[in-house]
């Protein structure tokens, strides 16, 4: 047990006993009805009730195997003397939800929080995988502070097409650009589609799902080694069973999210994100999660802490390999050990195992130095996330240097402006569009409030006439997000967003824009008086939704620079049991 944590005394009365303990009419109502599932009376003797919060859904294919995996979690819970109950929770599927799954992350988090607090759950196993499922369940659990542990579904096996690895998402963008450039036929694209997703599991690149699985492990919220085990590897099932065993002891010890999610844990996660070349989406999700536990994390922490972290994980989209090879090389524990050796890890940070992160990783080995690179030959010296500021992004914007082109890191170009995503789609393939590779593509109205939901459209595809010249990258700027599987010199999350009247809203075709990543600057080269004149007459084209979740979202979602959480959901509301209605 880490020095920083003192376990609660055991035995003691758990919160589930408010439902199941004693012989009152209310207890018999709660307990008696559950007995219709065939549970013997002694199951209700005060042992920990473990909610297995499952994001399985037929429409969340990345999590499609989680019902099967939940059986292993249950086995672990029974073995350790707990009582497992599987509870379906909101599953924010990345590849299904429109306008974007991100619009539902907060709704899912709110549903999870209430499902935990309102029901007889002493501890929770968060069964997640697809991008938004991980942060939404972590956020919900953090706001109840009920003992919780993450087990992810694991990544898919490698995609292979014509002798080459093909990565989820990454090759979708590549192939679609190749079709536009006339280098690939539509038939070949369809053939590649069939080769892309070979097994159950999440995207096999270091996209957002793999990044968030790594973040959960680096934060200490998952057992060591969880992030990289492929979905179909038998060791994934073992991990699920061990997770089920572990949560029972966590409940007995009362080892809570707030004991684990400390400032040190977030700093470890930020540095880990730099080392793995992780997704820019982690910025938003970790800022939101920190807001739930009262850790004062800012965008500037991302820049400061990640700046000197070399990216050593050679995975797509920044590198060559996929999650399967990352697992065979030793996975995230090797990366954490490397950070620890470089003095970039808070070694005493507590994990769900009850041990420190350093105790978990100090004895691991790297089994493949082409996948987890030696310190002397990183993918890039400056991993992490660059946070840019300037008159175009007073509250900040982000760029992922490891996915960008070195020759564009300092660039001045003429703006070609798309007023929203429909405008972009309508004009990008027009041969008459006045654009060349020196221009800066600007996309507006794609932030949290503008899209709405902040879709992953920031890595706008290039115009065909530029692609045909063999050009594969241009500077692109928006208030959108970008898929973690994507790449390019793409400035994202510009804040304040256009829909809130940020300066992005008043950029016009022909304005000159300067990007200077080394100096963290994003500048609109237009006189300040002119900017103010344009802002004074600007009116938001975003409609104010009337009714339903869309209205709630519009009125309460925060900016990307603070995690895009709802203002009323920040903070921890605890696990207090409400009044009984019976
Ligand atoms: Fe679900 Fe990538 S779309 S993990």
């Amino acid at each position: 047990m880490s020095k920083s944590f003192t376990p609660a005394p055991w035995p003691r009365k758990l919160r589930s006993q408010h439902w199941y303990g004693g012989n009152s009419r209310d207890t018999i109502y709660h307990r008696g009805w559950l007995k219709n599932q065939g549970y013997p009376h002694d199951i209700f003797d005060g042992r920990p009730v473990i909610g297995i919060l499952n994001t399985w859904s037929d429409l969340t294919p990345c999590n499609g195997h989680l019902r099967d995996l939940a059986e292993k979690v249950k086995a672990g819970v029974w073995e350790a003397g707990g009582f497992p109950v599987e509870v379906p929770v909101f599953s924010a599927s990345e590849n299904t939800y429109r306008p974007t799954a991100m619009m539902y992350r907060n709704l899912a988090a709110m549903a999870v929080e209430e499902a935990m607090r309102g029901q007889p759950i002493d501890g929770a196993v968060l069964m997640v995988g697809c991008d938004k499922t991980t942060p939404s369940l972590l956020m919900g659990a953090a706001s109840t502070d009920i003992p919780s542990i993450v087990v992810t579904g694991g990544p898919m096996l490698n995609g292979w097409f014509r002798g080459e690895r093909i990565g989820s998402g990454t090759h979708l963008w590549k192939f679609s650009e190749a079709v536009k450039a006339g280098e690939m036929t539509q038939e070949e694209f369809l053939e590649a589609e069939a080769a892309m997703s070979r097994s159950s599991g999440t995207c096999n690149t270091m996209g957002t799902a793999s990044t968030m699985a790594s973040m959960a492990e680096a934060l200490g919220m998952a057992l060591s080694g969880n992030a990289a085990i492929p979905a179909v590897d038998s060791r994934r099932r073992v991990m699920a069973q061990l997770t089920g065993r572990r949560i029972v002891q966590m409940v007995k010890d009362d080892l809570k999210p707030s004991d684990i999610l400390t400032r040190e844990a977030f700093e470890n996660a930020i540095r880990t994100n730099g080392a793995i070349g992780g997704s820019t989406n982690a910025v938003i999700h970790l800022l939101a999660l920190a807001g739930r536990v009262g850790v004062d994390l800012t965008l500037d922490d991302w820049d400061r802490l990640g700046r000197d972290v070399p990216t050593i994980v050679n995975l797509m989209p920044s590198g060559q390999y996929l999650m399967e090879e990352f697992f065979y090389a030793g996975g995230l524990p090797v990366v954490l050990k490397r950070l620890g050796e470089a003095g970039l890890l808070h070694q005493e940070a507590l994990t769900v195992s009850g041990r420190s992160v350093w105790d978990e990783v100090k004895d691991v080995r790297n089994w493949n130095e082409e996948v987890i690179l030696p310190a002397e030959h990183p993918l890039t010296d400056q991993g992490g996330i660059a946070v840019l500021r300037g008159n175009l992004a007073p509250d900040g914007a982000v760029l992922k240097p490891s996915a960008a082109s070195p020759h564009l890191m300092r660039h001045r170009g003429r703006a070609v402006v798309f007023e929203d995503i429909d405008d972009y789609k309508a004009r990008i393939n027009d041969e008459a569009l006045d654009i060349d590779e020196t221009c800066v593509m600007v996309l507006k109205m794609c932030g949290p409030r503008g899209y709405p939901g902040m879709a992953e459209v920031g890595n706008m595809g290039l115009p065909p006439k530029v692609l045909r010249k063999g050009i594969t990258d241009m500077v692109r700027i928006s208030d959108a997000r970008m898929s973690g599987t994507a790449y390019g010199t793409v400035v994202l999350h510009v804040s304040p967003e256009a829909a809130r009247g940020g300066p992005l809203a008043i950029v016009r075709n022909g304005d000159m824009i300067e990007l200077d990543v080394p100096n963290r600057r994003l500048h609109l080269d237009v006189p300040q008086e002119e900017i103010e004149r344009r802002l004074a007459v600007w009116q938001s084209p975003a409609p104010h939704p009337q009714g339903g979740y869309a209205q709630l979202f519009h009125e309460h979602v925060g900016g990307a620079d603070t995690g895009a959480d709802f203002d009323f959901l920040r903070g921890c509301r605890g696990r207090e049991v409400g009044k009984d209605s019976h």
Side-chain angles (χ1 to χ4, degrees):
M1 191 65 65
S2 166
K3 280 178 276 178
S4 57
F5 177 73
T6 308
W10 181 260
R12 65 181 190 286
K13 184 177 174 183
L14 295 173
R15 70 191 299 274
S16 59
Q17 285 295 297
H18 291 283
W19 284 262
Y20 298 138
N23 292 315
S24 69
R25 185 196 62 172
D26 289 347
T27 298
I28 289 168
Y29 175 67
H30 298 304
R31 196 172 57 206
W33 262 247
L34 193 52
K35 282 182 177 175
N36 82 347
Q37 299 297 303
Y39 294 118
H41 187 75
D42 62 2
I43 292 298
F44 302 93
D45 59 2
R47 68 187 72 190
V49 176
I50 305 300
I52 300 172
L53 306 189
N54 200 335
T55 52
W56 167 86
S57 158
D58 271 343
L59 287 178
T60 310
C62 318
N63 298 9
H65 58 304
L66 292 189
R67 284 190 85 188
D68 179 37
L69 205 59
E71 294 304 318
K72 300 299 282 184
V73 178
K74 281 184 193 170
V77 172
W78 285 123
E79 280 170 352
F83 174 19
V85 285
E86 190 177 351
V87 180
V89 292
F90 193 115
S91 185
S93 174
E94 195 61 28
N95 41 46
T96 309
Y97 265 108
R98 292 184 175 187
T100 161
M102 181 62 184
M103 187 160 165
Y104 305 98
R105 183 201 64 181
N106 298 346
L107 181 62
M110 187 159 62
V112 165
E113 177 183 340
E114 301 308 327
M116 289 176 76
R117 185 183 300 110
Q119 301 197 82
I121 289 174
D122 299 311
V125 176
L126 313 179
M127 296 202 70
V128 294
C130 195
D131 300 15
K132 305 301 175 293
T133 57
T134 307
S136 58
L137 268 64
L138 276 169
M139 288 160 69
S143 283
T144 64
D145 212 20
I146 288 172
S148 299
I149 186 169
V150 167
V151 64
T152 51
M156 290 185 237
L157 296 177
N158 285 0
W160 288 97
F161 180 60
R162 299 188 173 172
E164 268 185 55
R165 284 178 189 80
I166 54 172
S168 318
T170 303
H171 276 80
L172 184 65
W173 322 128
K174 274 199 177 129
F175 290 157
S176 102
E177 300 279 84
V179 170
K180 274 211 263 178
E183 294 161 1
M184 187 178 200
T185 65
Q186 192 65 36
E187 290 66 41
E188 288 171 322
F189 197 6
L190 293 178
E191 216 182 301
E193 177 195 338
M196 231 172 243
S197 305
R198 287 179 50 228
S199 76
S200 304
T202 52
C203 290
N204 52 22
T205 41
M206 188 50 82
T208 304
S210 300
T211 299
M212 290 312 298
S214 301
M215 294 296 91
E217 189 173 328
L219 284 164
M221 288 298 293
L223 289 177
S224 189
N226 169 75
I229 308 171
V232 294
D233 193 297
S234 55
R235 286 162 284 188
R236 172 61 56 195
R237 295 165 66 77
V238 173
M239 177 58 73
Q241 190 158 342
L242 294 177
T243 301
R245 286 184 190 168
R246 178 61 201 156
I247 185 64
V248 176
Q249 190 60 43
M250 286 175 69
V251 169
K252 290 178 178 173
D253 292 343
D254 201 23
L255 176 53
K256 308 174 291 297
S258 60
D259 296 314
I260 297 168
L261 295 173
T262 59
R263 180 164 187 95
E264 288 71 27
F266 282 97
E267 294 195 352
N268 284 347
I270 289 173
R271 287 190 164 128
T272 301
N273 192 61
I276 63 176
S279 164
T280 45
N281 285 323
V283 177
I284 293 192
H285 299 322
L286 261 59
L287 288 173
L289 181 60
R292 295 299 183 103
V293 289
V295 170
D296 182 23
L297 197 72
T298 66
L299 258 189
D300 292 327
D301 289 320
W302 276 89
D303 195 292
R304 182 176 58 81
L305 294 162
R307 193 177 270 238
D308 299 323
V309 181
T311 300
I312 54 169
V313 176
N314 187 10
L315 257 58
M316 298 179 204
S318 304
Q320 283 175 273
Y321 294 97
L322 294 168
M323 286 298 283
E324 206 181 321
E325 281 99 0
F326 186 40
F327 174 57
Y328 302 146
L332 198 74
V334 177
V335 178
L336 293 169
K337 181 181 182 186
R338 204 67 89 58
L339 287 170
E341 288 167 345
L344 295 172
L345 190 77
H346 296 291
Q347 298 187 354
E348 288 303 310
L350 181 64
T351 75
V352 283
S353 70
R355 307 196 317 154
S356 74
V357 63
W358 187 246
D359 282 342
E360 293 293 346
V361 303
K362 64 183 186 328
D363 298 322
V364 300
R365 272 184 63 186
N366 183 2
W367 299 101
N368 189 336
E369 292 221 324
E370 285 187 15
V371 177
I372 305 175
L373 302 166
E376 317 79 68
H377 302 293
L379 215 50
T380 168
D381 277 334
Q382 295 211 338
I385 303 290
V387 176
L388 310 165
R389 290 185 192 269
N391 66 353
L392 190 46
D395 292 341
V398 304
L399 176 140
K400 181 175 167 183
S402 65
S405 300
H407 73 281
L408 291 173
M409 299 294 254
R410 274 203 172 99
H411 183 80
R412 177 181 163 87
R414 168 172 64 87
V416 175
V417 176
F418 302 99
E419 293 298 330
D420 57 27
I421 192 66
D422 294 326
D423 183 32
Y424 164 78
K425 286 181 179 166
R427 294 195 295 127
I428 191 63
N429 294 329
D430 184 349
E431 294 293 323
L433 182 66
D434 182 16
I435 192 167
D436 63 36
E437 60 274 23
T438 66
C439 292
V440 173
M441 295 167 68
V442 175
L443 176 61
K444 305 176 182 176
M445 301 301 291
C446 292
R449 198 182 267 177
Y451 197 81
M454 202 179 181
E456 291 184 330
V457 293
N459 57 315
M460 294 166 260
L462 306 190
K465 65 180 180 183
V466 171
L467 288 169
R468 285 198 298 273
K469 291 191 220 170
I471 306 289
T472 55
D473 196 9
M474 287 173 64
V475 174
R476 289 158 270 181
I477 298 174
S478 73
D479 45 11
R481 293 179 303 120
M482 170 171 90
S483 164
T485 62
Y487 49 87
T489 310
V490 185
V491 178
L492 302 155
H493 310 181
V494 169
S495 300
E497 62 172 307
R500 286 177 209 261
L504 183 70
I506 55 82
V507 180
R508 292 183 183 167
N509 280 314
D511 289 348
M512 295 305 288
I513 293 179
E514 289 171 13
L515 170 67
D516 181 354
V517 180
N519 289 306
R520 302 300 196 251
R521 182 164 175 268
L522 184 64
H523 182 69
L524 177 64
D525 195 6
V526 168
Q528 191 55 34
E529 315 80 70
E530 170 64 8
I531 292 176
E532 279 162 22
R533 196 187 61 73
R534 290 184 197 175
L535 282 171
V537 296
W538 178 84
Q539 286 190 328
S540 175
H544 192 112
Q546 295 301 314
Y549 177 66
Q551 181 178 345
L552 180 85
F553 185 89
H554 183 93
E555 291 172 1
H556 294 284
V557 71
D561 56 312
T562 56
D565 201 0
F566 289 158
D567 47 12
F568 62 89
L569 287 180
R570 289 173 72 84
C572 174
R573 284 160 287 283
R575 58 173 96 165
E576 194 66 27
V577 181
K579 290 187 178 63
D580 202 316
S581 59
H582 304 291

